[in-house]
């Protein structure tokens, strides 16, 4: 596919020189130290149901109202609602993956191992042994799942982090593989939770990519590996069939899940690429069409859009959701590696979202500081995704 170039004339204001790998690593180190200084704990956009008031929210609408009120309030309500900072396995798993990319350095290798060990210890026991869950209950527009119920997103990020850091032993990997098939595979695709069979494309491909990876572990029994590969092929086919003619994927297949957003589209493309390569499937046309849509409809020049073709609105040319911003940097780096965009595009995306990244304070201690709403301090939703994006960008820039 030919390199994509934006026609937006305002891109020039974000143009920056190619950032050296050392500077990208310095920024990654700053984000890591900010996370580590807070013990990887902090607010989360979806932590509203950890409030003691949640026991009164017995109806789905009440649960969603409480969760969304905490999430969207311009004033941080967490202290008033007795919501404590959370350390999540998902953030630590993603952090282990991020640090593992730089494992040639003993410092980063040690960081990856520490995070991986902590994440591995959080594997569920009992009925869903081997999988991972969130540390909070969640009520969405499509369903409810408590903290005791595993979900594919937490499982994928945690499992990858443990595998990337070498902290998942053979028995744990086998339990994970069996549980993935027994509790999250529907027979055609991977579900978000055991309680919902809805096809949600990013979740499905997270399952497919993880199943493929597990199948090729030397320790995986061959019959189980064969089942994993069959499930992964079926899951990839399900999402490939769900691509729209314009190249986009809706969030899910239900009537109320038809929106298209940036970070979920990024997840779909990254995991589809990973799964297809592992399975030896030819999906270049599908990926090309998806990337073309992503770049043309989910960016305003180098500024990430949350929803497809979203207008800047009253805020002007500003970035919004931190997970979406971080995923955009990750995707821009990935797109450069594969020749979808001209060199320097990822630098311009990073420059666009840069004002929201932590910086050294002016205090004598020079510690990392963050400004903005609580969501910007969220380990799971903001800081760990940025750490992931910066280390991936650093590795790609070094290779380039």
């Amino acid at each position: 596919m030919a390199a994509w170039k934006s026609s937006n004339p305002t891109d020039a204001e974000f143009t920056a020189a190619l950032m050296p790998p050392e500077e990208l690593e310095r920024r990654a180190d700053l984000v890591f130290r900010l996370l580590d200084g807070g013990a990887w704990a902090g607010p989360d956009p979806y932590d509203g149901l950890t409030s003691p008031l949640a026991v009164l929210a017995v109806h789905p609408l009440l649960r969603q109202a409480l969760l969304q009120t905490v999430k969207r309030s311009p004033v941080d309500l967490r202290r008033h609602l007795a919501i404590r900072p959370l350390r999540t396995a998902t953030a630590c798993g993603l952090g282990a993956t991020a640090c593992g990319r730089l494992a040639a350095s003993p410092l980063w290798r040690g960081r990856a191992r520490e995070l991986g060990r902590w994440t591995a210890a959080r594997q569920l026991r009992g009925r869903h042994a081997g999988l991972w869950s969130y540390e909070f209950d969640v009520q969405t527009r499509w369903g409810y799942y408590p903290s005791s119920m595993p979900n594919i997103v937490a499982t994928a990020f945690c499992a990858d982090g443990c595998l990337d850091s070498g902290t998942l032993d053979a028995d744990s990997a086998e339990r994970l593989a069996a549980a993935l098939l027994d509790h999250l595979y529907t027979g055609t695709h991977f579900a978000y939770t055991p309680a919902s069979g809805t096809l949600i494309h990013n979740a499905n491909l997270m399952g497919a990519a993880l199943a493929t990876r597990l199948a090729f572990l030397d320790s995986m029994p061959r019959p189980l590996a064969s089942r994993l590969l069959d499930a992964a092929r079926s899951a990839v086919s399900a999402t490939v069939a769900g691509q729209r003619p314009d190249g986009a994927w809706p969030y899910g297949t239900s009537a109320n899940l038809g929106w298209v957003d940036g970070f979920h589209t990024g997840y779909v493309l990254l995991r589809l690429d990973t799964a297809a390569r592992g399975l030896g499937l030819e999906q270049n046309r599908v990926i090309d069409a998806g990337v073309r849509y992503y770049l043309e409809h989910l960016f305003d020049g180098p500024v990430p859009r949350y929803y497809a073709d979203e207008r800047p609105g009253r805020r002007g040319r500003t970035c919004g959701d931190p997970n979406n911003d971080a995923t955009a940097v990750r995707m821009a780096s990935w797109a450069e590696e594969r020749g979808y965009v001209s060199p320097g595009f990822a630098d311009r995306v990073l420059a666009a979202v840069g004002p929201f990244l932590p910086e050294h304070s002016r205090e004598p201690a020079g510690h990392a500081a963050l400004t903005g709403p609580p969501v910007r301090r969220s380990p799971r939703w903001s800081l760990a995704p940025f750490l992931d994006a910066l280390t991936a960008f650093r590795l790609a820039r070094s290779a380039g």
Side-chain angles (χ1 to χ4, degrees):
M1 178 178 173
W4 175 90
K5 294 186 177 73
S6 171
S7 59
N8 191 323
T10 60
D11 280 0
E13 68 180 288
F14 294 103
T15 300
L18 297 185
M19 191 172 292
E22 297 77 16
E23 174 60 17
L24 290 167
E25 184 169 343
R26 186 195 70 81
R27 294 191 181 198
D29 180 69
L30 189 61
V31 175
F32 177 89
R33 286 189 285 110
L34 183 63
L35 279 159
D36 211 47
W40 288 75
D44 192 279
Y46 294 89
D47 61 7
L49 296 184
T50 65
S51 168
L53 286 180
V55 298
L56 303 176
V58 295
H59 190 277
L61 289 178
L62 292 175
R63 288 196 293 265
Q64 194 166 16
L66 175 58
L67 188 151
Q68 292 295 329
T69 297
V70 174
K71 179 183 177 184
R72 298 177 183 275
S73 173
V75 177
D76 188 1
L77 301 175
R78 289 171 177 80
R79 182 171 61 85
H80 305 290
L81 296 177
I83 296 173
R84 298 180 178 180
L86 286 171
R87 183 179 189 181
T88 67
T90 307
C92 291
L94 185 56
T97 288
C99 295
R101 290 195 185 96
L102 307 183
S105 157
L107 173 64
W108 286 100
R109 185 166 61 252
R111 290 170 170 178
R113 295 281 296 177
E114 182 178 354
L115 289 169
R117 283 192 292 266
W118 191 89
T119 304
R122 269 42 187 191
Q123 268 188 306
L124 294 177
R125 295 177 175 83
R127 179 185 176 190
H128 298 119
L131 303 174
W132 281 268
S133 66
Y134 291 147
E135 287 75 5
F136 43 84
D137 299 349
V138 178
Q139 176 70 59
T140 70
R141 67 183 78 181
W142 55 264
Y144 168 74
Y145 49 101
S147 60
S148 59
M149 181 179 290
N151 70 77
I152 194 68
V153 176
T155 295
F157 282 127
C158 291
D160 279 340
C162 293
L163 291 167
D164 291 334
S165 59
T167 54
L168 197 67
D169 60 45
D171 289 342
S172 297
E174 188 174 339
R175 281 195 298 272
L176 165 61
L180 187 67
L181 293 170
D182 293 344
H183 299 295
L184 293 172
Y185 181 58
T186 67
T188 57
H189 65 274
F190 290 94
Y192 203 110
T193 73
S196 173
T198 302
L199 173 54
I200 295 174
H201 291 297
N202 79 93
N204 176 45
L205 288 178
M206 286 187 180
L210 177 57
T212 303
R213 183 174 190 182
L214 290 170
F216 288 107
L217 293 178
D218 291 338
S219 63
M220 192 61 58
R222 290 306 93 194
L224 184 54
S226 180
R227 291 176 58 204
L228 288 165
L229 292 175
D230 288 344
R233 292 187 191 98
S234 177
V236 167
S237 295
T239 287
V240 167
Q243 188 178 36
R244 297 188 332 198
D246 61 1
W249 280 277
Y251 177 74
T253 55
S254 298
N256 63 335
L257 303 180
W259 75 87
V260 180
D261 67 64
F263 73 94
H264 286 122
T265 299
Y267 290 170
V268 167
L269 289 167
L270 286 174
R271 302 292 174 152
L272 176 57
D273 181 54
T274 299
R277 287 170 183 263
L279 294 167
L281 299 176
E282 176 56 62
Q283 296 294 348
N284 287 346
R285 270 198 213 170
V286 174
I287 293 173
D288 286 353
V291 173
R292 185 182 299 110
Y293 182 92
Y294 177 70
L295 293 170
E296 292 179 354
H297 297 272
L298 287 155
F299 281 93
D300 179 17
V303 179
R305 290 178 172 136
Y306 190 92
Y307 292 115
D309 298 318
E310 183 179 36
R311 296 293 112 192
R314 291 180 299 174
R315 293 179 301 169
R317 289 177 59 85
T318 60
C319 304
D321 182 271
N323 194 16
N324 192 58
D325 293 347
T327 305
V329 175
R330 175 78 176 87
M331 285 299 297
S333 172
W334 175 86
E336 273 195 30
E337 283 186 273
R338 285 155 179 75
Y340 285 111
V341 293
S342 301
F345 180 68
D347 295 87
R348 290 188 289 141
V349 174
L350 181 56
V353 306
F356 300 102
L357 284 167
E359 297 178 351
H360 283 297
S361 73
R362 295 182 180 179
E363 297 176 14
H367 65 271
L370 270 180
T371 58
V375 69
R376 291 281 167 191
R377 304 193 304 275
S378 169
R380 185 183 72 93
W381 202 257
S382 177
L383 297 176
F386 270 117
L387 180 64
D388 177 62
L390 287 166
T391 57
F393 192 3
R394 189 263 192 222
L395 200 63
R397 180 53 51 82
S398 297

